[in-house]
Amino acid sequence: MTLFLQLVLSGLGWGGIYALAALGLTLIYKTSNVVNFANGALATVVSMLVWTLHTSVGMPIALSWLLAVAAGALLGALTDVMFMRRLRSAAIIVSIVMTLGLLLLFEGLTGVIWGFEPKAVPLVLNGPVITYGSLAISRNNLFIAGLTVVLGLVLYVFYEHTRPGLAVRAVAEDPEVAMLMGISRRRVVTASWAAGVAIAGAAATLAVPASGGLTPTFMESIAVYAFAASVLGGFGSLLGAVVGGFLIGIVTNLVAGYWSNNLQLTLVFALIVAVLYIRPEGLFGRRARVRV
Amino acid sequence: MRPGTREVDRLSKSLLRRAADRAGPGSRPASWLAGRRIARLGTSAVVVIAALLFPQFEGGNIPVMFLATTALTYGLVAIALNLLMGFGGQISIGHGGFLAVGAFTTAIVATHYHFPPIVVLLLAGLVTGLVGFLLGLPAGRLRSHYLAVATLGFGVAVPELALNMSLTGGFTGVIMPPQQVGSIQFNTPVPLYYLALALVATGMAAVISLLASPTGRRFRAVRDSEEIAPALGVNVPLVKLTLFSLSAFFTGLAGYVFALNNSIVEYSQFDFSLSLFFFAAVIVGGLASTWGPLVGAIALVIVQQQTTSLGGLSETILGAAVVLVLLVVPGGLVALPRLVLRLAAWVWWMAQRVLRRRTLPPPQDPVPAERAMGASEG
Amino acid sequence: MYAFRVWRLRRSWVPAGMALATVLSVAACGSSGSSSSGSSSATANGVTSSTITFGQTVPKTGPAALYGESTAGVQAYFDFVNAHGGVKGRKLKLISLNDQYEPPVALQDTKTLVFTDHVFAEVAVNGSATTEANITVLDPNNVPLVGPQTGATIFAGTFRKNLYNVWPAYLVEGRLLGAFAQQQHLAKVGVLYQNDDFGKSLLQGVKNSGLKPAMAIPYDPTQTDFSAQAAQFKSAKVNAVIILAIPVPTTDFLNALAAVNFKPVRIMSQVSAIPQQFQTAPQDFPGSFSGAFIPPLQETSDPQVKAFLSGMSTYQPGKPPSVFAAWGWTEAQVAVAGLKAIKGTITRDSYEAALNSLSNLATLGGAISYSSTSHTGIKHMFIVEAKNGQRVRMTG
């Protein structure tokens, strides 16, 4: 039983990271219907900035984080304005193709600018492991899980109980009507991109210590889990992103502990296919099937 | 005219449809670029002859032949992917997984059984086609982005499986045994190059004749509008399934050449960046065009080869190329000559205006959108 | 309209015709074309009147990039020899290519080395799986390989005409680790091993010592998250964990152990017990034990160690004199000793005969002897403890 509980606890760290990454995807998807395949690469840029500011420039880690996440928001906004906005009138598939091109572009640029040597980013919370009986959880993992829940709640409150949040929901529901009501679709979408990249950037930077080092491509495998979390939770749902992320983090760790660590991606792929077959809209999403 | 913002909007408005409909050869001869049909045929002939004669000059240069065969192999995969993406309107970012299935099938079958090479080749195609069929089953009812995520999962799951099964050699991989027909050793550079060339040609021929058939029209119906196609009597899930299977089959054939070319098949050769490479090759070359995938694959292989010294540079170029194609040149590389000619014509016209101070009628738009659509429905 | 459709069909004739033409070309030119693939000719075997060229494939990037430091060791020794007149009046040259620890890349690199660069022999090739890929090119072309950086049983336990082992066999090292565990009266021992020839050979060696592991968990080299394995070992309450892994996974695993607050006795392979671990795994690396054949590099009373350190600082001043460089140095010593022992003209066959004649050659890593029927490497290993930032030899 303790093995089970320990595995669940250890899975909370990764679960939080997947959930945050999925949240970033969801924010963008909600308002523009685009699955941003480049989110991981953009997030990596944020992590690289944290490393540069902290290690090369020598800033304290908290300030590096702040500046890098802000830069990430700016990067997300710029990406929308420069690349995605022009394709708004075309079919969605064109935008998706564009995000894939941006994935290549940003991964490549990150490699050219920062190189492929793994870099270290310090843990947010250091210190002795928190123990409870024979169970243990690192402070950092606890922080990640806590941050995810808090952020999820904040976003929920924002969307459901504030006026700007209402505006965003309006654009997500029906862009034309929203525009008729005077809501600027452009600004909402750009803001969503900014927020989406910023949150994903936070997720990526949190994931660095457990990933064996910060490299330009280290988010590739994490992105697969993030997508799986979105599929499981339902693409447009914030709650789904959080629940899906934690579920996937815990389940994959349980499988790794009880059976084998080796087929994680295969397991996730099977999970994606199963969800898409049985209930494509996921746990909390809607409108997934093609209907005439 | 030089593309402005609205022009870009119009061009990007329906990337797939416009690029496809633009692909008709010389069926609109009434333009001031008369004789273009001859130019096209001439170019094709030159390309074919050059491809056939290439080994006579470079046959002894092992690295060059390796590169050429790799370009052809990836070209075949790009042709297969273009069938799925350009003519079927489905996104796949997991074709590296299909190549892996084909290559591993080849190496494993060739190691354990002594079948003639043609049997091994066909087995590679059929097994991969079967995997494509299985993947296409649940994909039938899904929208584009769900399908993209599913293919992404597929593309990363296959190498992981390969790493963990002893059948596929785990971390060491499977060494590809020689393949011989009569006195021809297919694991030597020159015969392998010709085999790859023959397969590429066969693939192109198959795709073209398929698209000219009634089945091809059904494919295009699904691409143009998934929602309306059923009203036209098209069984959308069946079409998607067929496309997946065919696309996988041809990629499996490419896997045979891949295994021979690399002499070893191992999980690390099929990572996500390979799937992205195929995707970029199709888009950059020219989605839904005949020659686009092959041109794109060859160009990108050369780019990769030339930029290995600086890590990340090849990816940057690939990404920038995709972005540029989407924003500026939707037809891809194969549409560049026409674009350049239009630009040249515009410059010439402007020059005439300035020099002679006379207003001439602007050069006739070689491919007016409306006439293009009208003609192709012919 | 009908004509249009026929035209579309006719377009397929162009590529179809090309398919037919290529098939005919294959039949016509196929057999003659294959003769131009370069096979080793006498003049192109890497030996000129002034140079002898060796080739090497090592990882310079990726998770195993630390192994690339062996290049500096080889180069330093070659430079040292060149500065003292070279070998048989010729200077030694090294061409070192990056194989990224991936067998397919290693295979392509070896083809380049053999057919384009025309190297005389290979030295200090890194990795078990990558060496396997290399020899698929080396063996048919009769190219010798001295000092593959692996002790996997397929090399160390099987005689191969062209391959000369320098490293101790993993079976030997595994047996040492298992014997040590038993000596320390550790009742319950768990094993974490890499899921390839490297890890499996070591595991077999451990079992050969008579130790029966309570659990043996495999992992694949690209894995970075070991929290599940750490939890498993902890819940099984093992007294010790034998870690048969390359450096980066070892670091990640040690940190995972720290994260679940579990500190069994830690025993690892010499492959990953490197001083960097004091920084990267600060909680769980100190106090760990490992096998070794390269002497601890602070023992400067050993003349071999002194020569290595001075050679590195003289000829490769920017490069760290790490245990990886020490491997390269040792392997280069064997390669050069073989060259020096050649009688007559320098050919690959005379080189192999010379290597076979080496007996009790003293190197940085120990004594080596070859014969025409045995190409096993160094046989003596010992245990070191990670203490105070250094590897310290354990007595007894």
Side-chain angles (χ1 to χ4, degrees):
Chain A
M1 184 56 178
T2 43
L3 179 62
F4 178 82
L5 287 175
Q6 179 63 65
L7 289 172
V8 169
L9 277 183
S10 311
L12 283 182
W14 276 114
I17 289 171
Y18 299 150
L20 282 175
L23 271 177
L25 282 174
T26 307
L27 288 182
I28 294 174
Y29 180 82
K30 259 174 109 71
T31 52
S32 54
N33 260 318
V34 172
V35 175
N36 181 16
F37 281 100
N39 224 25
L42 293 165
T44 308
V45 174
V46 174
S47 305
M48 288 291 184
L49 284 174
V50 173
W51 177 84
T52 308
L53 290 172
H54 178 66
T55 312
S56 292
V57 177
M59 282 191 201
I61 186 73
L63 187 60
S64 314
W65 260 87
L66 209 63
L67 287 176
V69 169
L74 185 64
L75 182 64
L78 278 175
T79 307
D80 179 52
V81 169
M82 283 182 11
F83 299 109
M84 306 306 298
R85 197 174 275 185
R86 302 200 204 185
L87 303 178
R88 206 87 78 203
S89 49
I92 285 292
I93 198 173
V94 180
S95 296
I96 298 180
V97 169
M98 172 61 94
T99 64
L100 287 165
L102 290 172
L103 167 63
L104 281 167
L105 181 63
F106 280 107
E107 252 190 19
L109 281 176
T110 311
V112 169
I113 297 175
W114 280 284
F116 284 85
E117 280 307 301
K119 300 168 176 42
V121 167
L123 297 171
V124 174
L125 279 189
N126 255 316
V129 159
I130 298 176
T131 53
Y132 181 74
S134 60
L135 300 176
I137 183 169
S138 75
R139 289 170 186 251
N140 200 56
N141 278 354
L142 203 56
F143 169 77
I144 295 174
L147 174 71
T148 309
V149 171
V150 165
L151 197 58
L153 281 173
V154 165
L155 284 171
Y156 173 77
V157 166
F158 172 79
Y159 274 99
E160 297 292 321
H161 299 291
T162 65
R163 287 199 64 195
L166 184 62
V168 176
R169 272 193 297 141
V171 170
E173 286 272 354
D174 198 332
E176 275 89 30
V177 172
M179 285 199 284
L180 286 173
M181 318 224 19
I183 299 173
S184 164
R185 183 184 177 197
R186 286 184 168 197
R187 274 203 232 140
V188 166
V189 172
T190 307
S192 309
W193 271 81
V197 172
I199 291 180
T205 317
L206 288 169
V208 169
S211 297
L214 171 60
T215 64
T217 51
F218 90 107
M219 277 300 277
E220 274 182 5
S221 46
I222 297 176
V224 178
Y225 293 104
F227 286 121
S230 288
V231 167
L232 180 61
F235 254 107
S237 159
L238 292 173
L239 180 63
V242 175
V243 170
F246 277 118
L247 270 178
I248 291 197
I250 292 172
V251 167
T252 48
N253 214 34
L254 283 173
V255 168
Y258 280 114
W259 182 37
S260 150
N261 209 7
N262 294 326
L263 290 174
Q264 303 246 295
L265 289 171
T266 312
L267 177 74
V268 163
F269 166 62
L271 186 73
I272 291 176
V273 170
V275 170
L276 291 179
Y277 214 140
I278 301 171
R279 194 189 152 91
E281 58 268 21
L283 293 170
F284 303 102
R286 46 194 170 131
R287 282 188 302 115
R289 283 175 220 262
V290 178
R291 250 180 268 120
V292 173
Chain B
M1 303 295 254
R2 190 169 61 81
T5 325
R6 248 186 308 140
E7 178 79 356
V8 169
D9 276 355
R10 197 161 62 81
L11 286 172
S12 330
K13 196 168 185 68
S14 180
L15 167 78
L16 302 172
R17 199 185 308 143
R18 276 185 63 85
D21 293 327
R22 203 179 272 190
S27 51
R28 292 164 288 280
S31 83
W32 57 280
L33 289 175
R36 236 179 50 226
R37 185 194 292 197
I38 299 172
R40 275 199 118 91
L41 276 180
T43 328
S44 303
V46 167
V47 165
V48 168
I49 294 173
L52 285 170
L53 291 180
F54 178 74
Q56 298 307 315
F57 300 100
E58 294 283 357
N61 189 337
I62 292 186
V64 168
M65 291 305 290
F66 175 76
L67 202 65
T69 308
T70 304
L72 286 174
T73 310
Y74 289 176
L76 182 56
V77 178
I79 290 170
L81 182 59
N82 186 39
L83 178 65
L84 185 65
M85 276 178 44
F87 299 107
Q90 320 285 308
I91 290 192
S92 165
I93 42 177
H95 258 58
F98 288 127
L99 187 65
V101 173
F104 273 112
T105 308
T106 305
I108 293 169
V109 167
T111 311
H112 291 112
Y113 304 100
H114 290 291
F115 295 148
I118 186 74
V119 172
V120 182
L121 173 65
L122 283 175
L123 267 178
L126 288 171
V127 170
T128 316
L130 179 64
V131 174
F133 178 83
L134 292 172
L135 190 62
L137 274 177
R141 300 174 295 160
L142 300 173
R143 286 182 176 281
S144 38
H145 53 261
Y146 286 100
L147 193 61
V149 171
T151 57
L152 169 64
F154 175 71
V156 299
V158 168
E160 191 190 60
L161 270 171
L163 174 60
N164 286 288
M165 294 198 299
S166 56
L167 181 68
T168 49
F171 192 59
T172 318
V174 183
I175 309 278
M176 178 66 191
Q179 295 276 289
Q180 199 168 345
V181 172
S183 62
I184 306 172
Q185 292 269 37
F186 280 115
N187 46 303
T188 48
V190 174
L192 186 61
Y193 169 86
Y194 280 121
L195 175 66
L197 198 59
L199 285 176
V200 165
T202 312
M204 280 176 75
V207 166
I208 293 173
S209 35
L210 188 65
L211 290 169
S213 69
T215 321
R217 277 207 295 279
R218 276 189 225 119
F219 293 167
R220 253 176 305 211
V222 169
R223 181 201 72 206
D224 287 343
S225 177
E226 262 187 55
E227 285 89 5
I228 308 225
L232 298 172
V234 177
N235 184 344
V236 172
L238 183 63
V239 165
K240 290 194 193 182
L241 195 57
T242 315
L243 283 172
F244 252 103
S245 316
L246 279 175
S247 186
F249 173 76
F250 283 110
T251 311
L253 296 181
Y256 179 82
V257 181
F258 182 89
L260 280 171
N261 198 24
N262 285 278
S263 311
I264 184 176
V265 183
E266 196 240 12
Y267 83 102
S268 64
Q269 296 167 304
F270 306 103
D271 55 6
F272 180 53
S273 51
L274 185 64
S275 295
L276 281 180
F277 176 91
F278 295 137
F279 170 84
V282 170
I283 301 280
V284 171
L287 189 62
S289 66
T290 318
W291 287 93
L294 186 61
V295 168
I298 294 175
L300 293 187
V301 164
I302 294 176
V303 164
Q304 257 194 350
Q305 171 66 15
Q306 297 299 104
T307 56
T308 43
S309 46
L310 186 54
L313 186 59
S314 69
E315 263 199 300
T316 312
I317 295 178
L318 260 62
V322 171
V323 170
L324 277 174
V325 163
L326 286 178
L327 290 182
V328 178
V329 194
L333 284 176
V334 290
L336 264 185
R338 187 175 309 160
L339 204 67
V340 166
L341 282 168
R342 283 170 74 181
L343 196 63
W346 178 80
V347 167
W348 184 73
W349 173 65
M350 280 297 283
Q352 297 241 300
R353 271 197 81 175
V354 166
L355 289 175
R356 301 191 194 168
R357 301 187 137 269
R358 231 188 297 168
T359 31
L360 297 163
Q364 226 173 357
D365 193 351
V367 190
E370 306 68 32
R371 284 170 68 193
M373 303 229 266
S376 71
E377 295 311 86
Chain C
M1 281 173 246
Y2 178 71
F4 177 66
R5 211 190 310 161
V6 168
W7 166 247
R8 299 299 283 283
L9 272 169
R10 236 190 279 147
R11 272 169 63 211
S12 67
W13 292 4
V14 171
M18 193 161 83
L20 193 62
T22 54
V23 169
L24 295 171
S25 307
V26 172
C29 316
S31 33
S32 61
S34 56
S35 65
S36 46
S37 63
S39 47
S40 51
S41 48
T43 52
N45 66 350
V47 180
T48 69
S49 55
S50 55
T51 58
I52 303 175
T53 311
F54 281 83
Q56 180 199 37
T57 72
V58 280
K60 298 185 202 274
T61 54
L66 284 169
Y67 295 137
E69 290 178 15
S70 68
T71 310
V74 179
Q75 192 64 66
Y77 190 73
F78 277 10
D79 290 342
F80 167 74
V81 168
N82 287 343
H84 290 83
V87 177
K88 300 213 179 297
R90 293 166 171 87
K91 301 272 189 240
L92 299 170
K93 223 173 82 136
L94 177 70
I95 302 180
S96 176
L97 297 180
N98 180 13
D99 67 13
Q100 299 166 35
Y101 202 56
E102 282 170 17
V105 181
L107 197 144
Q108 293 308 328
D109 283 347
T110 307
K111 279 190 184 166
T112 307
L113 288 171
V114 172
F115 298 123
T116 309
D117 298 320
H118 301 297
V119 298
F120 176 63
E122 275 197 344
V123 66
V125 169
N126 187 82
S128 312
T130 39
T131 305
E132 265 192 89
N134 282 30
I135 60 178
T136 58
V137 177
L138 297 176
D139 279 351
N141 292 287
N142 205 33
V143 180
L145 167 56
V146 178
Q149 287 177 6
T150 166
T153 317
I154 46 166
F155 305 116
T158 324
F159 176 77
R160 287 172 195 271
K161 176 176 168 295
N162 295 314
L163 192 143
Y164 294 82
N165 293 289
V166 170
W167 273 26
Y170 287 146
L171 282 180
V172 167
E173 182 177 5
R175 194 153 21 116
L176 173 73
L177 299 178
F180 176 70
Q182 289 172 78
Q183 217 182 40
Q184 303 289 311
H185 303 295
L186 296 163
K188 211 170 175 195
V189 178
V191 178
L192 178 76
Y193 67 100
Q194 186 159 302
N195 200 4
D196 66 355
D197 284 319
F198 152 68
K200 291 182 191 166
S201 302
L202 279 168
L203 177 62
Q204 186 58 52
V206 169
K207 290 185 180 165
N208 285 354
S209 72
L211 180 74
K212 290 194 191 353
M215 50 206 294
I217 304 182
Y219 78 93
D220 78 62
T222 54
Q223 191 170 316
T224 53
D225 178 30
F226 288 87
S227 50
Q229 280 78 7
Q232 278 176 290
F233 283 122
K234 180 177 171 183
S235 105
K237 295 197 188 20
V238 294
N239 302 111
V241 178
I242 300 184
I243 306 170
L244 308 172
I246 56 177
V248 171
T250 305
T251 308
D252 293 334
F253 177 67
L254 288 174
N255 288 333
L257 282 179
V260 293
N261 207 24
F262 183 52
K263 205 163 186 175
V265 174
R266 301 159 307 282
I267 306 171
M268 58 189 80
S269 157
Q270 58 103 8
V271 153
S272 57
I274 53 179
Q276 277 94 330
Q277 302 271 30
F278 285 109
Q279 277 90 42
T280 53
Q283 283 144 304
D284 274 36
F285 183 66
S288 65
F289 302 93
S290 76
F293 69 97
I294 302 279
L297 294 172
Q298 67 273 12
E299 292 179 0
T300 46
S301 53
D302 182 339
Q304 289 277 356
V305 174
K306 230 166 82 163
F308 166 68
L309 290 173
S310 94
M312 283 298 289
S313 67
T314 313
Y315 300 106
Q316 295 279 305
K319 302 279 162 66
S322 60
V323 69
F324 307 110
W327 293 344
W329 178 275
T330 311
E331 288 138 13
Q333 283 179 308
V334 177
V336 170
L339 278 179
K340 289 188 171 158
I342 291 180
K343 299 179 175 32
T345 44
I346 305 178
T347 68
R348 288 177 175 146
D349 288 327
S350 67
Y351 184 48
E352 288 186 2
L355 283 166
N356 289 340
S357 73
L358 294 176
S359 171
N360 258 332
L361 172 73
T363 70
L364 175 60
I368 290 194
S369 303
Y370 295 132
S371 75
S372 56
T373 51
S374 163
H375 290 168
T376 43
I378 293 168
K379 298 194 174 75
H380 175 67
M381 291 188 74
F382 47 93
I383 297 279
V384 293
E385 185 184 354
K387 225 200 276 197
N388 302 329
Q390 292 176 333
R391 296 152 66 235
V392 175
R393 195 188 294 250
M394 285 199 65
T395 47

